[in-house]
Amino acid sequence: MSPVVLFDAALALGVLGCAALALTLRDRTGTVAAFMLTGLLVALSWLRLGAPDVALAEAAIGAGLTGALFLRGARRLGPLRARPPAPAQAAAAALGAAVLSAALLWAFATAPAESLYPPRVAAALEDSGVSNPVTAVLLNFRAWDTLLEIAVLVVALLLVMTLSPPRVIPDKLGALVQPFARIVVPVAVLVAGHLLWQGAEAPGGAFQAGAVLAGAGLALVLGGVRVDRRVLRRALTALALAGLAVFTLAALASQAVTGALLGYPDGQAKAWIIAIEGALTLSIAATLCLLFTGYGRRSAR
Amino acid sequence: MVTETSLLVTLPFLAALAAAAAPRAAATLGMAATLANAGFAALLARALLADGARETSLGGWEAPLGITLRADGLAALMIGMTALVGSAVALQAMGRPAPGRPAPAGGFWPLWLATLGAMNALFLSDDLFNLYVTFEILGLSAVGLTALTGSRRALRAAFDYLSAGLAGSLLLLLGVALAYAEAGRVDLAAVPALVETMRGRIALALVLAGLAVKAALFPLHFWMPAAHANAAPPASALLSALVVKTALYVALRLSLEGGAGIAPARAALAVAGSGAMLWGAWNALRAERLKLLVAHSTVAQIGLIALALGVAGNPADSTLWQAAALLMLSHALAKAAMFLAAGRIAEELGHDRISGLNRTELRPGAAEFAFAIAAVSLIGLPPTAGFVGKWVLIEGLIAREAWIWVALVMTGTVLSAAYLSRVVSRCLRGGPHVAPGARRPAWHMGDVAALGLAVGALALGLASALPFALLETTLT
Amino acid sequence: MTPDLIYPAAGAGLIGLALWRLATCGDTLRRIMALNVLAVGIAMLMLAAGRETLMLAAGRETSTLAAGRDTLTRAAGQDTPQTAGAGFLQAAADPVPQAFVLTGIVVLVAVTAALMALAERLGARDGD
Amino acid sequence: MSLVATLLGTAMIAAGVGFLLFAALGLWRLPDTLSRLHALTKADTAGLALVALGAACLSDTPAALLPLGLCALLVAVSGATIGHLIARRLMRRPAA
Amino acid sequence: MTELLPLAILMTSLGVAPAILAMPDDWSRLRTAVNLAAAALKLGLVAWLSLSVAQGAEFGLGLEIAPGLALELKADALSVLFLALSSVLWLLTTLYAVGYLEGGTDRSRFFGFFSLCVAATVGIAMAGNLFTFVVFFELLTLATWPLVVHRGSAEAHRAGRIYLVYTLGGGLALTLGAAWLYALAGAVPFAPRGVLGDLPQTHPVAVTAIFVLLIAGVGVKAALVPLHGWLPVSMVAPAPVSALLHAVAVVKSGAYGIMRIVYDVYGVETMQGLGLAAPLAALAGATILWGSFRALRQDDLKKRLAYSTVSQVSYITLGVALISPLAAVGGLAHLIHQGIMKITLFLAAGNFAEGRGVKTVSGMDGMGRLMPGATLAFTVGALGMIGVPPLAGFISKWYLGAGGLDAGQPAVIALLAGSGLMNAAYFLPILYRAWFRDPPADAVPKRRIGWMLAVPPAVTAGFVLAAGLLANAPFSPLGWTRFIVSLEYL
């Protein structure tokens, strides 16, 4: 049993344990804390599975922002209101879930898993404009998936706008939060820029940079910056919508130039990708920030 | 040169963004984009009829690395259906003030255009993971449409709808993950390889289970009636007629790709379909509210289409699955007309209790007439397209001696006649105090949309040679 | 347990846990959390499958995943891809499932935000 | 890589891990929340800083110090702020 | 251009229907004008069509619906017979309906569905293949249902529900049978002497089962015994509806359907080969007797006429089922004769109800003196039904008898005699009460009968006389049926 296998086993057990905690604790904030911990441990396991880009995104979005959303929800939804299920139903559900996960484990463990993608990605990496294979897949080979994914973000924002849930106006958090924000925000902007730029060669990219910027935004909101001033909210909304607009127009422009939708003119692929990623970073940050702060007129604690 | 396929998938999203950015101009922008989309859909259909199906690989990367947009007969038919029903529903939405209070930037138009874009992308997609992402966009925007009215029941239904939709999508994603692990690729060309091994069949079963949740097929349909009944009329028309169809379309696409190997999944689909038909009819017979009845009739009709897909899905006998596709198209037109008409009736009467339909003096004649024609098409009586679809289906089934399924299709027809005549007979019943020459309420844009769709269902019955010709160009 | 069974087992376990919770509890926040755990479980299965392909590929013939892999293996102090468990930073796995999982995470946060907005509007109206 | 740097690095990482272990022990054994805050903020920050520095020494490129140092700084700042917030909340309303 | 004639005839009522439906109720003058113009135009077109068909011209046009499925309109001798009947009587009944419904509610809806129903009848008459026949057959159900429930009362809706159950059930059986036949035989056009080719030999059981399904489907509308329940019940409909639909359009399309199936789908040889003719004839005979028997005991005038229709329509089915040219002539002629006689009776009965509020047989005392015109028409119709020479009824019964002998079925003569007696038994008391009893003292006119209500029954009574006296003229119903049968049997 080499030490790394031990580490993997411990990490897996940690993930499962925290997830069980998150789903079974009766106290709301306890479940959210356990959920954030699960997210961090899962980010570590992504590293061990050789997916650093995903680890960054998981830590920033999966654990960070989703945790913040759950905290906001936990405060508003009040104590847990669910009668425990009948024992028979719980047992049946447990049995069913166990059988399904066992079948899944058998299927995934014995699957041959000869993916067709690595050789093709390696071959096409040269003229994809970037050397980080994940960014190449995300923004060149399967750019259509990414465009639709940004559309998902925009539609989620539209939905939240339509619902206009009560807005987050945090109560006075004391004197220390302002200086904290003053330190964290510039560093976050710096890190985000670095992540965006190095995304072409090494793990990083629009989503991770956007998530870090959104984190900075959240810090500002919690620091008491009033986002509800109409001008700032409209600007953020415009920024949030701009990302998808830029990407779609770039796609159509690329077809006008090269005849293939999302087919970047050869040689300029890197320039197009960086431009698109820049717009995406800002738009994702704005969208995630707005998704957290909500849109409604009535302010609620 | 920018082709129709790329405009079909990008224009709606751009229009949605514009509508969200400029709420006041949303209606005109939305209507213009919907009509433009209809024009492109027609262009695509004409191009397909002229020189057959075509596949455009995005970014120039060949499958399986890149994603290809497959524009063939079946996709063009579905896009045409979406454009047609969408334009009528958009017309209805233009006519009445935006449902619910005008949200700052949200509202009907951006959500509808996002739905339109997502559906076009879904119908053209040739990649399972891409389908997962388009289903997510569709789920979110459909939930937005459901929650537009902001009433307590609509919000509750919207939450259940979104959580069920997410669960369905995650099942789909699990299927994609297993398909990747098994066949090493995730585009539809992997399905023939998946069909051979046990693991591949589990993957496809997971994908179909996810689709069953999204199509509200019988055992997994609990979230749907409340969502469709409580949404605003244009929204419920879109949900029932179009959004629920996308999952059935993907199921048909999978069964065409899978060929004979996917027979057990098809049998399960047929059994679930017949269960849905009976369950939906049973609930529709007991429903008190008009919109709930129409929503339950959607469950039943989806059951019938699933049964048709299950029994007629294999690509060998082409007329059979084309009949199932025609049933989908005719159901879309008729159901949209019925929901719009039901919405108009509920608006005029102030309530939509079935028992009270005939008590008031002024009843929207045009809306009732549209409801009646839509009912005729749903039951499948001539001369509507529903009848042509059922006739070709029954003829094919009899040729294959599948007598149980013929009996089931017949019972479905009888049941739908039973619960729909509950409503139509009340529209004809004279109110106790209908003064002679009582002024009918004036015509409303909603009536025009409902009647247009209903007459469309009739006209489609006569002109169903066109859909069949279009379906011939499908790549199987 | 052989090294490449740990993460699939964890993923399957997460899925089982999430499905069990979804089946037995109706509370809105818990249902959303269970859906998130389910999504993480699926991502784990997919990435585990993605990593296996490269190990198999590496085992059979040296993979040519040029730049992206080299920077990472150099950072981990090894020069050629090792079998599982040797280097701490495992050589880069198949990039396509990574793109899928990344897209999945962003989609998940969007849907979760929407679900939370709906839940709060419902919760805010009256106790539910 | 010089022998000294390796020795120094491993020593620092060992010390850092020691601090982290003590912090975990403190979190487990200490009676009330306020005292647990000490374990969380002080011991964890110190432990992490040491591990970061050790890792910087072990890695062959000096440039690796910059990101690792930034991590240590950020953890220190956020640890302090959050410690303050939790304590402030506790002072206003005794342990809910 | 002339081959578009069938479509033109169809569109005169199909095209007009939506326009009338969309009209507000109080545009009655415009609506009446459009209605009558359409009816007159249709009459002219049908006359032109029958002239050219007499000279042997063939009309046909098709619309491809799906691979292997087409809507076909074809005008041959048999279709012209039914076309003539429905277009002539539609004109008269529209006139009558305009008068009858003066000041009623929902008149646009009524006349819209009225012309839709005639369009369906015309479509059935000119159907070129079994699929088109089924389409228009079902359309007829949908078009007539709102007319049956037109009054909107609870009783009308009960009748409507029963009507719907019977006719939709029949429609399903018909669709299933037709789809089965299409599955076996590919396309099923209507062609003289049948189209089944070797199917009866290769799939005898299936072909018989299909025959049962098809006859059950059309039998509902042809009011064959077990399936006739809807006819008396739907007498609650207004008089013009009962007159045109239950005396002419609906019931006759059922009989016409039987003719098409027997002559143009199965063909006479197959019917004899599979032994399907005898049971059909027996069923028709049973219906004749049962209808007359039930008519005896009905006090309500329209119910009595309804049961008389049930029995009279089965004369046509009997004529078709007896495989002999003479019987065929008798049956086909009776299609026309029964139509004009029964519509006279129904219109007269409508006048009694409207003029004097008399709805029952017992109330008919002294009607001869109160409403001489209507009663005279009623008498001519009644005598024709009984089969008194020289009226139309006698001729068709004569040919039926001769056909029965020719087909070696002497029982037919006994059947005809027996039903003739029963007809007399339920019509003569009415005539006796009308002419030889003096009216009740407090008889007070309920409403003045305008010319629109009085003229139509008189005209149709005239037709009954003419059809009897001028039977040998080439253009009389009898002459035309001889021409059809000559095509069918030679």
Side-chain angles (χ1 to χ4, degrees):
Chain A
M1 286 289 282
S2 72
V4 179
V5 169
L6 259 180
F7 175 79
D8 282 342
L11 188 60
L13 278 178
V15 164
L16 276 175
C18 290
L21 261 178
L23 293 179
T24 47
L25 277 180
R26 295 211 57 79
D27 151 44
R28 280 271 199 230
T29 38
T31 49
V32 174
F35 182 79
M36 290 165 118
L37 194 55
T38 327
L40 289 176
L41 291 178
V42 162
L44 264 181
S45 59
W46 294 156
L47 266 180
R48 284 294 298 126
L49 285 170
D53 299 70
V54 185
L56 274 171
E58 178 70 31
I61 299 179
L65 197 69
T66 317
L69 279 173
F70 282 139
L71 266 180
R72 183 191 74 177
R75 165 197 287 265
R76 286 217 187 110
L77 290 184
L80 197 66
R81 271 180 308 281
R83 347 152 227 83
Q89 190 199 0
L95 185 68
V99 163
L100 185 68
S101 53
L104 280 175
L105 181 56
W106 166 79
F108 274 89
T110 57
E114 294 106 1
S115 158
L116 309 178
Y117 296 114
R120 285 177 176 72
V121 167
L125 203 52
E126 273 67 31
D127 44 29
S128 77
V130 285
S131 52
N132 174 0
V134 176
T135 312
V137 169
L138 271 176
L139 282 162
N140 201 337
F141 306 146
R142 294 185 70 100
W144 181 236
D145 277 346
T146 315
L147 192 144
L148 291 181
E149 170 203 335
I150 301 298
V152 168
L153 268 174
V154 165
V155 173
L157 189 62
L158 287 180
L159 176 60
V160 168
M161 282 187 211
T162 312
L163 292 172
S164 61
R167 213 170 27 267
V168 167
I169 303 292
D171 50 13
K172 292 291 159 285
L173 283 177
L176 250 186
V177 181
Q178 202 71 20
F180 169 74
R182 217 172 275 118
I183 296 171
V184 163
V185 170
V187 169
V189 169
L190 188 69
V191 166
H194 170 66
L195 274 178
L196 173 62
W197 182 252
Q198 80 162 9
E201 288 81 31
F207 307 106
Q208 296 80 350
V212 168
L213 270 184
L218 255 60
L220 281 177
V221 164
L222 295 178
V225 169
R226 300 299 301 274
V227 177
D228 66 351
R229 272 195 307 282
R230 178 168 299 285
V231 170
L232 189 60
R233 182 146 52 85
R234 180 162 299 136
L236 273 180
T237 315
L239 198 59
L241 301 180
L244 182 59
V246 164
F247 206 162
T248 322
L249 291 176
L252 287 175
S254 69
Q255 178 160 42
V257 171
T258 64
L261 192 67
L262 285 169
Y264 308 121
D266 37 27
Q268 308 161 357
K270 183 168 171 84
W272 282 68
I273 288 181
I274 294 296
I276 293 175
E277 280 212 297
L280 287 189
T281 307
L282 295 176
S283 133
I284 289 172
T287 316
L288 293 177
C289 206
L290 284 173
L291 283 178
F292 176 75
T293 57
Y295 247 84
R297 288 171 315 287
R298 296 187 319 282
S299 70
R301 285 178 48 76
Chain B
M1 197 276 296
V2 183
T3 62
E4 301 101 6
T5 30
S6 40
L7 279 175
L8 274 173
V9 287
T10 48
L11 178 73
F13 289 121
L14 288 175
L17 292 173
R24 266 179 306 286
T28 40
L29 268 171
M31 199 60 208
T34 312
L35 293 181
N37 176 64
F40 291 130
L43 276 176
L44 179 68
R46 203 166 52 80
L48 283 184
L49 284 176
D51 46 29
R54 47 198 166 113
E55 296 202 326
T56 56
S57 52
L58 290 173
W61 307 105
E62 281 313 316
L65 180 61
I67 303 169
T68 59
L69 291 183
R70 170 210 303 237
D72 65 355
L74 185 56
L77 187 76
M78 287 296 151
I79 290 176
M81 165 185 91
T82 318
L84 194 64
V85 171
S87 311
V89 170
L91 197 67
Q92 147 98 338
M94 286 270 284
R96 55 206 299 271
R101 11 167 238 342
F108 173 79
W109 290 101
L111 288 172
W112 149 242
L113 291 166
T115 317
L116 180 62
M119 292 185 76
N120 286 349
L122 190 140
F123 290 134
L124 289 169
S125 162
D126 187 25
D127 183 278
L128 281 174
F129 184 76
N130 193 257
L131 283 177
Y132 162 73
V133 184
T134 39
F135 264 124
E136 279 307 325
I137 307 177
L138 196 55
L140 275 171
S141 43
V143 162
L145 289 173
T146 315
L148 264 180
T149 52
S151 73
R152 169 127 192 74
R153 276 190 297 197
L155 285 175
R156 180 79 235 168
F159 181 82
D160 295 339
Y161 185 0
L162 189 55
S163 47
L166 180 56
S169 301
L170 290 178
L171 273 177
L172 183 75
L173 187 61
L174 186 54
V176 169
L178 189 50
Y180 165 76
E182 175 59 24
R185 56 189 301 174
V186 280
D187 54 352
L188 282 183
V191 173
L194 285 173
V195 164
E196 267 83 32
T197 65
M198 185 54 193
R199 277 181 302 277
R201 273 197 290 276
I202 294 178
L204 288 176
L206 284 169
V207 168
L208 282 175
L211 293 178
V213 171
K214 295 193 108 29
L217 200 53
F218 169 57
L220 311 161
H221 71 294
F222 291 100
W223 54 271
M224 195 269 272
H228 289 197
N230 298 320
S236 45
L238 290 174
L239 294 176
S240 257
L242 299 176
V243 175
V244 187
K245 288 278 157 27
T246 51
L248 288 172
Y249 159 80
V250 175
L252 175 58
R253 188 64 85 178
L254 285 179
S255 80
L256 288 181
E257 292 287 329
I262 203 165
R266 268 209 293 277
L269 201 64
V271 167
S274 33
M277 215 165 31
L278 303 177
W279 176 260
W282 163 249
N283 281 324
L285 279 170
R286 288 202 340 254
E288 274 86 37
R289 280 180 47 220
L290 181 59
K291 284 197 208 168
L292 210 56
L293 179 136
V294 180
H296 283 302
S297 96
T298 304
V299 174
Q301 298 294 334
I302 291 292
L304 176 73
I305 296 170
L307 185 138
L309 290 182
V311 167
N314 77 50
D317 38 24
S318 70
T319 47
L320 263 181
W321 67 261
Q322 287 174 3
L326 185 68
L327 272 179
M328 274 205 243
L329 181 60
S330 77
H331 173 265
L333 290 176
K335 186 45 63 74
M338 188 174 271
F339 252 117
L340 291 182
R344 278 289 299 136
I345 293 173
E347 221 171 86
E348 286 295 328
L349 302 186
H351 64 80
D352 72 340
R353 287 189 310 282
I354 295 178
S355 52
L357 273 187
N358 58 347
R359 286 241 178 2
T360 58
E361 181 171 312
L362 291 179
R363 288 200 311 282
E368 282 174 348
F369 196 63
F371 192 98
I373 300 179
V376 163
S377 175
L378 278 181
I379 299 170
L381 297 174
T384 60
F387 174 73
V388 173
K390 274 192 181 165
W391 172 285
V392 173
L393 183 66
I394 289 174
E395 195 183 320
L397 290 180
I398 292 177
R400 281 173 34 195
E401 305 290 327
W403 293 107
I404 326 130
W405 302 119
V406 171
L408 273 169
V409 169
M410 282 297 172
T411 24
T413 311
V414 168
L415 286 173
S416 52
Y419 61 73
L420 284 176
S421 65
R422 270 180 77 201
V423 178
V424 177
S425 67
R426 278 189 172 72
C427 297
L428 287 173
R429 187 171 296 171
H433 43 276
V434 177
R439 292 293 313 143
R440 286 263 179 247
W443 277 52
H444 185 278
M445 195 72 83
D447 298 333
V448 171
L451 255 179
L453 280 173
V455 167
L458 279 181
L460 189 66
L462 299 178
S464 53
L466 179 67
F468 276 109
L470 197 58
L471 285 170
E472 279 306 315
T473 65
T474 311
L475 305 171
T476 46
Chain C
M1 273 206 314
T2 61
D4 50 13
L5 253 189
I6 295 175
Y7 287 105
L14 284 173
I15 292 176
L17 200 67
L19 287 179
W20 168 73
R21 187 74 265 176
L22 269 174
T24 55
C25 166
D27 174 66
T28 48
L29 188 63
R30 185 160 285 182
R31 242 182 4 186
I32 303 173
M33 216 175 263
L35 286 169
N36 277 299
V37 168
L38 179 62
V40 167
I42 297 171
M44 192 169 279
L45 285 177
M46 189 180 276
L47 280 179
R51 177 177 76 152
E52 278 209 354
T53 59
L54 190 84
M55 279 195 296
L56 291 177
R60 271 202 299 282
E61 33 80 26
T62 54
S63 148
T64 56
L65 263 182
R69 259 171 30 76
D70 296 347
T71 43
L72 284 156
T73 41
R74 217 176 30 265
Q78 284 81 27
D79 41 15
T80 58
Q82 310 298 307
T83 54
F88 180 81
L89 260 182
Q90 178 54 42
D94 175 359
V96 173
Q98 290 184 39
F100 292 162
V101 171
L102 240 161
T103 310
I105 290 174
V106 174
V107 162
L108 190 67
V109 77
V111 176
T112 308
L115 277 170
M116 288 309 293
L118 273 169
E120 281 163 22
R121 271 297 301 277
L122 269 176
R125 295 296 284 268
D126 50 42
D128 162 50
Chain D
M1 236 193 9
S2 67
L3 187 62
V4 170
T6 333
L7 270 179
L8 193 62
T10 16
M12 267 200 266
I13 289 183
V17 167
F19 268 99
L20 289 174
L21 269 179
F22 275 118
L25 193 65
L27 193 63
W28 177 45
R29 289 297 296 169
L30 286 172
D32 63 358
T33 319
L34 275 180
S35 49
R36 285 199 186 117
L37 271 181
H38 289 290
L40 271 184
T41 47
K42 290 196 244 322
D44 276 334
T45 319
L48 191 112
L50 279 173
V51 167
L53 282 175
C57 298
L58 279 180
S59 76
D60 47 15
T61 59
L65 181 67
L66 190 61
L68 289 166
L70 198 61
C71 284
L73 170 72
L74 278 180
V75 165
V77 167
S78 56
T81 318
I82 292 169
H84 161 72
L85 288 179
I86 295 176
R88 194 164 156 280
R89 168 67 185 270
L90 270 176
M91 295 312 291
R92 293 186 173 224
R93 264 170 295 180
Chain E
M1 213 303 283
T2 55
E3 79 280 351
L4 282 185
L5 198 50
L7 192 62
I9 294 175
L10 183 66
M11 287 318 284
T12 50
S13 33
L14 196 59
V16 164
I20 297 177
L21 278 171
M23 266 185 222
D25 265 3
D26 43 26
W27 290 13
S28 53
R29 255 193 311 288
L30 174 66
R31 182 176 51 240
T32 318
V34 164
N35 252 334
L36 293 182
L41 178 63
K42 180 194 286 298
L43 203 57
L45 290 176
V46 166
W48 179 11
L49 182 77
S50 38
L51 261 178
S52 27
V53 168
Q55 286 137 17
E58 267 298 322
F59 294 89
L61 73 164
L63 170 70
E64 166 86 10
I65 287 287
L69 264 185
L71 276 175
E72 267 176 49
L73 291 181
K74 187 159 73 83
D76 59 3
L78 187 56
S79 58
V80 164
L81 182 78
F82 190 28
L83 257 179
L85 176 74
S86 59
S87 48
V88 166
L89 297 187
W90 181 40
L91 178 64
L92 289 172
T93 320
T94 311
L95 199 65
Y96 184 84
V98 167
Y100 184 86
L101 284 173
E102 211 64 40
T105 62
D106 292 323
R107 276 174 296 162
S108 282
R109 190 182 75 194
F110 179 87
F111 282 103
F113 280 113
F114 203 76
S115 52
L116 202 63
C117 163
V118 178
T121 320
V122 161
I124 289 174
M126 291 196 294
N129 60 22
L130 189 56
F131 175 73
T132 322
F133 177 80
V134 169
V135 168
F136 283 109
F137 202 75
E138 291 287 315
L139 189 62
L140 184 61
T141 309
L142 295 177
T144 47
W145 180 54
L147 297 178
V148 170
V149 297
H150 176 69
R151 285 220 167 78
S153 62
E155 198 211 350
H157 268 278
R158 201 179 55 78
R161 206 168 304 117
I162 293 172
Y163 175 77
L164 208 56
V165 167
Y166 272 92
T167 43
L168 274 189
L172 279 188
L174 183 66
T175 313
L176 190 59
W180 192 352
L181 195 55
Y182 264 70
L184 293 181
V188 182
F190 289 148
R193 275 184 287 290
V195 287
L196 291 188
D198 64 350
L199 260 180
Q201 286 69 30
T202 53
H203 303 76
V205 174
V207 168
T208 320
I210 291 175
F211 183 79
V212 167
L213 277 174
L214 291 180
I215 291 301
V218 286
V220 168
K221 287 210 169 63
L224 288 175
V225 138
L227 309 169
H228 68 291
W230 58 274
L231 189 61
V233 162
S234 55
M235 277 305 125
V236 76
V241 174
S242 322
L244 182 72
L245 301 192
H246 300 303
V248 176
V250 173
V251 182
K252 289 298 176 310
S253 49
Y256 181 80
I258 293 177
M259 277 184 222
R260 276 295 189 196
I261 291 169
V262 168
Y263 289 138
D264 293 345
V265 174
Y266 277 69
V268 178
E269 296 76 21
T270 325
M271 290 289 291
Q272 277 169 325
L274 290 170
L276 299 169
L280 186 62
L283 190 61
T287 314
I288 292 173
L289 292 180
W290 175 254
S292 310
F293 174 69
R294 283 300 298 267
L296 278 173
R297 297 195 350 268
Q298 298 297 335
D299 181 34
D300 179 280
L301 193 58
K302 282 175 80 172
K303 280 248 168 44
R304 180 168 290 193
L305 292 180
Y307 276 106
S308 135
T309 304
V310 169
S311 87
Q312 292 289 337
V313 170
S314 289
Y315 279 92
I316 308 169
T317 321
L318 184 67
V320 169
L322 294 172
I323 306 298
S324 91
L326 285 175
V329 165
L332 285 169
H334 200 59
L335 182 84
I336 302 290
H337 295 166
Q338 203 267 349
I340 45 180
M341 287 188 287
K342 189 43 65 75
I343 200 163
T344 318
L345 292 171
F346 267 113
L347 293 185
N351 284 352
F352 294 145
E354 276 304 297
R356 289 288 170 174
V358 163
K359 288 196 167 59
T360 59
V361 171
S362 45
M364 283 289 287
D365 296 354
M367 191 55 84
R369 250 162 277 144
L370 298 175
M371 293 174 71
T375 319
L376 190 64
F378 189 90
T379 313
V380 167
L383 292 179
M385 294 295 264
I386 298 169
V388 167
L391 296 178
F394 166 73
I395 294 165
S396 30
K397 285 191 179 171
W398 174 266
Y399 272 89
L400 274 175
L405 280 180
D406 173 30
Q409 303 271 5
V412 169
I413 301 293
L415 186 74
L416 290 176
S419 71
L421 276 178
M422 276 206 258
N423 288 351
Y426 60 73
F427 272 123
L428 291 186
I430 305 174
L431 299 184
Y432 170 75
R433 276 177 186 276
W435 293 107
F436 302 106
R437 286 269 183 83
D438 32 30
D442 57 6
V444 61
K446 180 171 153 227
R447 174 179 160 204
R448 208 188 68 73
I449 296 297
W451 67 276
M452 280 194 179
L453 291 181
V455 163
V459 169
T460 49
F463 282 156
V464 172
L465 274 171
L469 296 175
L470 310 170
N472 284 328
F475 262 87
S476 78
L478 189 65
W480 192 262
T481 38
R482 284 208 195 97
F483 170 69
I484 295 169
V485 170
S486 63
L487 294 178
E488 202 56 54
Y489 272 84
L490 299 189

